[in-house]
Amino acid sequence: QLHLRTTLLEPESVTAFFYSSIDEKQVKLLKAVEDAAKAKGVKIPLIDGYRNARMTEKLELSAKMPALVELRKGAVAKVTTVASEADVQKALA
C-alpha cells in the first residue's frame, strides 16, 4: 500500500497503466505500454489491478481495465481505456 501511495497518490500528476495479470490480452498490452513509454522517455507505473484490487476499487477502475489513468494529486483526472497497441500509441501521443 505504501508503494501505491507514493507512486500514485502523492505525485502532482502521474499517468499509470492499470491492467489485470490474469487476462492474457491485458498482459500483452502491458508490453506495448512499456515499449511506448520507453520510446517517449516517460515513466508509466504499471499497476496490476488484480493484485491491487482495493486500489482499483477505490479509484473506481475495476470495470475500466485495461486503462491508462491520469491522476492529479491522487484523484482520477482522466481514464483512457485501451484495447489494442494502436490505442496505447494514440493515448500516449
Side-chain angles (χ1 to χ4, degrees):
Q1 294 299 344
L2 178 63
H3 168 70
L4 290 176
R5 188 177 323 124
T6 57
T7 304
L8 299 176
L9 305 178
E10 291 175 357
E12 186 75 27
S13 178
V14 64
T15 299
F17 180 64
F18 283 79
Y19 70 101
S20 173
S21 61
I22 60 169
D23 184 313
E24 191 177 326
K25 289 179 184 174
Q26 292 185 30
V27 172
K28 286 182 181 177
L29 279 176
L30 175 68
K31 178 76 173 130
V33 170
E34 287 177 318
D35 292 345
K38 186 176 182 181
K40 295 222 174 280
V42 295
K43 185 172 167 79
I44 296 180
L46 308 170
I47 309 299
D48 182 351
Y50 176 73
R51 286 195 180 135
N52 299 292
R54 269 199 199 134
M55 179 62 74
T56 334
E57 289 167 12
K58 178 182 177 185
L59 297 174
E60 298 177 1
L61 299 171
S62 300
K64 299 174 184 172
M65 294 187 303
L68 283 161
V69 180
E70 185 179 334
L71 296 142
R72 292 215 172 98
K73 295 184 181 177
V76 175
K78 182 179 177 186
V79 177
T80 306
T81 302
V82 291
S84 68
E85 288 187 34
D87 289 347
V88 170
Q89 295 295 332
K90 193 164 76 172
L92 295 176

